[in-house]
Amino acid sequence: MPTLLRILTLAASLAFAPAAASAAPPTPAARPAPLQQLRIHEIPRANEGVFHDRFRDHALRIMARHGFAVRSIWRSEHADKVEFVYLLDWPDAATMKAAWAAFMADEEWAAIKRETGARHGRFVDAISDRTLEPLPWSPGRAGG
């Protein structure tokens, strides 16, 4: 009888193994890693105030509508240029690309850029864009 009990126990565990495996959450390696995006806009000094107004009053609101998560915003000066710097959080690269495409195609944003550009001139001299992928041993990462 102990042998029959062992066989039944083994059979039951094998029968339920596929269901348990499919119900388990995906492993961290199966999920895309979250990342951050660093954006640096060089802005003309003459339009710094109106650039800040446009970003604060319009861009942030429209970006939020498209799923942007702005973590922080800074002002910097580098090589005699004024910089507007901000950091975004993204769950993965595909989400980031899709959100940027939607934002750039947003008709409200296009209209605001046309109107403010016609009234104030150039708002941005250059944009640097960096996608930041955390290293597994980076401080702040689980297990890092």
Side-chain angles (χ1 to χ4, degrees):
M1 196 65 140
T3 306
L4 180 58
L5 185 57
R6 277 192 220 131
I7 291 170
L8 290 174
T9 303
L10 178 62
S13 66
L14 291 174
F16 292 110
S22 65
T27 63
R31 279 179 261 149
L35 49 89
Q36 293 180 309
Q37 183 181 26
L38 180 67
R39 304 262 305 173
I40 303 170
H41 295 235
E42 290 180 7
I43 54 178
R45 284 185 192 280
N47 275 346
E48 183 178 3
V50 291
F51 176 92
H52 287 258
D53 293 345
R54 182 175 80 172
F55 199 90
R56 181 192 63 236
D57 299 341
H58 302 291
L60 282 175
R61 174 179 49 79
I62 297 168
M63 287 174 157
R65 186 167 65 216
H66 293 291
F68 285 61
V70 178
R71 173 175 280 210
S72 197
I73 301 172
W74 302 272
R75 181 190 185 277
S76 177
E77 291 197 31
H78 177 72
D80 292 329
K81 296 182 188 257
V82 175
E83 295 177 328
F84 177 82
V85 182
Y86 60 108
L87 186 66
L88 299 150
D89 288 328
W90 297 106
D92 54 63
T95 301
M96 177 180 71
K97 289 177 185 176
W100 274 109
F103 176 70
M104 296 309 287
D106 188 288
E107 186 49 43
E108 181 185 7
W109 179 238
I112 289 167
K113 284 176 36 175
R114 280 192 304 272
E115 188 271 323
T116 56
R119 196 167 357 134
H120 300 286
R122 191 176 74 244
F123 272 67
V124 178
D125 290 333
I127 299 174
S128 296
D129 186 4
R130 307 279 189 285
T131 300
L132 309 172
E133 299 174 16
L135 293 169
W137 46 267
S138 174
R141 290 238 352 179

PDB file of all heavy atoms in Angstrom, residues 3 15 23 29 35 42 62 74 118-119 122 125-126 130:
ATOM      1  N   THR A   3       3.508   1.827  -1.497  1.00  0.00           N
ATOM      2  CA  THR A   3       3.948   2.057  -2.868  1.00  0.00           C
ATOM      3  C   THR A   3       2.819   2.663  -3.686  1.00  0.00           C
ATOM      4  O   THR A   3       3.038   3.589  -4.471  1.00  0.00           O
ATOM      5  CB  THR A   3       4.418   0.725  -3.508  1.00  0.00           C
ATOM      6  OG1 THR A   3       5.398   0.143  -2.667  1.00  0.00           O
ATOM      7  CG2 THR A   3       4.999   0.961  -4.861  1.00  0.00           C
ATOM      8  N   ALA A  15       0.080  15.869 -12.277  1.00  0.00           N
ATOM      9  CA  ALA A  15      -1.147  16.341 -12.920  1.00  0.00           C
ATOM     10  C   ALA A  15      -1.368  17.831 -12.681  1.00  0.00           C
ATOM     11  O   ALA A  15      -1.848  18.546 -13.547  1.00  0.00           O
ATOM     12  CB  ALA A  15      -2.336  15.532 -12.404  1.00  0.00           C
ATOM     13  N   ALA A  23       0.083  29.367 -13.704  1.00  0.00           N
ATOM     14  CA  ALA A  23      -0.511  30.369 -12.829  1.00  0.00           C
ATOM     15  C   ALA A  23       0.548  31.229 -12.158  1.00  0.00           C
ATOM     16  O   ALA A  23       0.241  32.290 -11.637  1.00  0.00           O
ATOM     17  CB  ALA A  23      -1.362  29.684 -11.761  1.00  0.00           C
ATOM     18  N   ALA A  29      13.152  37.962 -15.502  1.00  0.00           N
ATOM     19  CA  ALA A  29      13.844  37.938 -16.786  1.00  0.00           C
ATOM     20  C   ALA A  29      12.853  37.970 -17.947  1.00  0.00           C
ATOM     21  O   ALA A  29      13.175  38.420 -19.025  1.00  0.00           O
ATOM     22  CB  ALA A  29      14.734  36.700 -16.874  1.00  0.00           C
ATOM     23  N   LEU A  35      12.938  51.440 -17.396  1.00  0.00           N
ATOM     24  CA  LEU A  35      14.061  52.303 -17.729  1.00  0.00           C
ATOM     25  C   LEU A  35      13.676  53.749 -17.510  1.00  0.00           C
ATOM     26  O   LEU A  35      12.536  54.060 -17.206  1.00  0.00           O
ATOM     27  CB  LEU A  35      14.519  52.048 -19.168  1.00  0.00           C
ATOM     28  CG  LEU A  35      13.454  52.039 -20.261  1.00  0.00           C
ATOM     29  CD1 LEU A  35      13.235  53.422 -20.825  1.00  0.00           C
ATOM     30  CD2 LEU A  35      13.888  51.097 -21.358  1.00  0.00           C
ATOM     31  N   GLU A  42      18.401  72.440 -25.065  1.00  0.00           N
ATOM     32  CA  GLU A  42      19.088  73.731 -25.042  1.00  0.00           C
ATOM     33  C   GLU A  42      18.064  74.750 -25.515  1.00  0.00           C
ATOM     34  O   GLU A  42      17.485  74.604 -26.591  1.00  0.00           O
ATOM     35  CB  GLU A  42      20.289  73.724 -25.978  1.00  0.00           C
ATOM     36  CG  GLU A  42      21.424  72.864 -25.506  1.00  0.00           C
ATOM     37  CD  GLU A  42      22.606  72.887 -26.469  1.00  0.00           C
ATOM     38  OE1 GLU A  42      22.599  73.685 -27.441  1.00  0.00           O
ATOM     39  OE2 GLU A  42      23.520  72.089 -26.251  1.00  0.00           O
ATOM     40  N   ILE A  62      -0.394  67.299 -21.610  1.00  0.00           N
ATOM     41  CA  ILE A  62      -0.577  66.444 -22.784  1.00  0.00           C
ATOM     42  C   ILE A  62       0.270  65.178 -22.649  1.00  0.00           C
ATOM     43  O   ILE A  62      -0.178  64.080 -23.004  1.00  0.00           O
ATOM     44  CB  ILE A  62      -0.258  67.233 -24.064  1.00  0.00           C
ATOM     45  CG1 ILE A  62      -1.249  68.402 -24.196  1.00  0.00           C
ATOM     46  CG2 ILE A  62      -0.309  66.327 -25.290  1.00  0.00           C
ATOM     47  CD1 ILE A  62      -0.876  69.427 -25.251  1.00  0.00           C
ATOM     48  N   TRP A  74      14.752  69.987 -14.136  1.00  0.00           N
ATOM     49  CA  TRP A  74      15.801  70.877 -13.650  1.00  0.00           C
ATOM     50  C   TRP A  74      16.122  71.943 -14.677  1.00  0.00           C
ATOM     51  O   TRP A  74      15.863  71.798 -15.861  1.00  0.00           O
ATOM     52  CB  TRP A  74      17.100  70.103 -13.395  1.00  0.00           C
ATOM     53  CG  TRP A  74      17.012  68.977 -12.436  1.00  0.00           C
ATOM     54  CD1 TRP A  74      17.174  69.024 -11.086  1.00  0.00           C
ATOM     55  CD2 TRP A  74      16.769  67.598 -12.749  1.00  0.00           C
ATOM     56  NE1 TRP A  74      17.062  67.765 -10.542  1.00  0.00           N
ATOM     57  CE2 TRP A  74      16.802  66.874 -11.549  1.00  0.00           C
ATOM     58  CE3 TRP A  74      16.532  66.899 -13.940  1.00  0.00           C
ATOM     59  CZ2 TRP A  74      16.604  65.507 -11.491  1.00  0.00           C
ATOM     60  CZ3 TRP A  74      16.330  65.535 -13.879  1.00  0.00           C
ATOM     61  CH2 TRP A  74      16.369  64.866 -12.670  1.00  0.00           C
ATOM     62  N   ALA A 118       4.932  80.963 -33.579  1.00  0.00           N
ATOM     63  CA  ALA A 118       4.618  82.153 -34.374  1.00  0.00           C
ATOM     64  C   ALA A 118       4.723  83.417 -33.521  1.00  0.00           C
ATOM     65  O   ALA A 118       5.153  84.467 -34.000  1.00  0.00           O
ATOM     66  CB  ALA A 118       3.214  82.023 -34.967  1.00  0.00           C
ATOM     67  N   ARG A 119       4.349  83.300 -32.253  1.00  0.00           N
ATOM     68  CA  ARG A 119       4.362  84.468 -31.371  1.00  0.00           C
ATOM     69  C   ARG A 119       5.747  84.774 -30.798  1.00  0.00           C
ATOM     70  O   ARG A 119       6.118  85.938 -30.663  1.00  0.00           O
ATOM     71  CB  ARG A 119       3.380  84.235 -30.216  1.00  0.00           C
ATOM     72  CG  ARG A 119       3.042  85.528 -29.500  1.00  0.00           C
ATOM     73  CD  ARG A 119       1.873  85.477 -28.545  1.00  0.00           C
ATOM     74  NE  ARG A 119       1.167  84.221 -28.473  1.00  0.00           N
ATOM     75  CZ  ARG A 119       0.806  83.623 -27.335  1.00  0.00           C
ATOM     76  NH1 ARG A 119       1.107  84.172 -26.184  1.00  0.00           N
ATOM     77  NH2 ARG A 119       0.149  82.491 -27.344  1.00  0.00           N
ATOM     78  N   ARG A 122      11.814  80.769 -32.005  1.00  0.00           N
ATOM     79  CA  ARG A 122      12.395  79.455 -31.694  1.00  0.00           C
ATOM     80  C   ARG A 122      12.402  79.192 -30.187  1.00  0.00           C
ATOM     81  O   ARG A 122      12.825  80.024 -29.402  1.00  0.00           O
ATOM     82  CB  ARG A 122      13.820  79.414 -32.265  1.00  0.00           C
ATOM     83  CG  ARG A 122      14.439  78.042 -32.255  1.00  0.00           C
ATOM     84  CD  ARG A 122      15.808  78.027 -32.915  1.00  0.00           C
ATOM     85  NE  ARG A 122      16.786  78.654 -32.034  1.00  0.00           N
ATOM     86  CZ  ARG A 122      17.442  79.775 -32.307  1.00  0.00           C
ATOM     87  NH1 ARG A 122      17.249  80.407 -33.441  1.00  0.00           N
ATOM     88  NH2 ARG A 122      18.311  80.284 -31.445  1.00  0.00           N
ATOM     89  N   ASP A 125      16.950  75.032 -29.218  1.00  0.00           N
ATOM     90  CA  ASP A 125      18.095  75.003 -30.130  1.00  0.00           C
ATOM     91  C   ASP A 125      18.542  73.576 -30.427  1.00  0.00           C
ATOM     92  O   ASP A 125      18.961  73.276 -31.543  1.00  0.00           O
ATOM     93  CB  ASP A 125      19.272  75.791 -29.547  1.00  0.00           C
ATOM     94  CG  ASP A 125      19.004  77.291 -29.530  1.00  0.00           C
ATOM     95  OD1 ASP A 125      18.221  77.775 -30.368  1.00  0.00           O
ATOM     96  OD2 ASP A 125      19.590  77.983 -28.672  1.00  0.00           O
ATOM     97  N   ALA A 126      18.489  72.703 -29.449  1.00  0.00           N
ATOM     98  CA  ALA A 126      18.926  71.313 -29.620  1.00  0.00           C
ATOM     99  C   ALA A 126      18.310  70.461 -28.519  1.00  0.00           C
ATOM    100  O   ALA A 126      17.972  70.967 -27.444  1.00  0.00           O
ATOM    101  CB  ALA A 126      20.447  71.220 -29.556  1.00  0.00           C
ATOM    102  N   ARG A 130      18.620  60.541 -23.919  1.00  0.00           N
ATOM    103  CA  ARG A 130      19.345  59.357 -23.466  1.00  0.00           C
ATOM    104  C   ARG A 130      18.367  58.384 -22.821  1.00  0.00           C
ATOM    105  O   ARG A 130      17.603  58.760 -21.939  1.00  0.00           O
ATOM    106  CB  ARG A 130      20.391  59.708 -22.403  1.00  0.00           C
ATOM    107  CG  ARG A 130      21.360  60.799 -22.759  1.00  0.00           C
ATOM    108  CD  ARG A 130      22.503  60.293 -23.622  1.00  0.00           C
ATOM    109  NE  ARG A 130      23.542  61.278 -23.782  1.00  0.00           N
ATOM    110  CZ  ARG A 130      23.476  62.344 -24.565  1.00  0.00           C
ATOM    111  NH1 ARG A 130      22.387  62.599 -25.238  1.00  0.00           N
ATOM    112  NH2 ARG A 130      24.496  63.169 -24.677  1.00  0.00           N
TER     113      ARG A 130
END
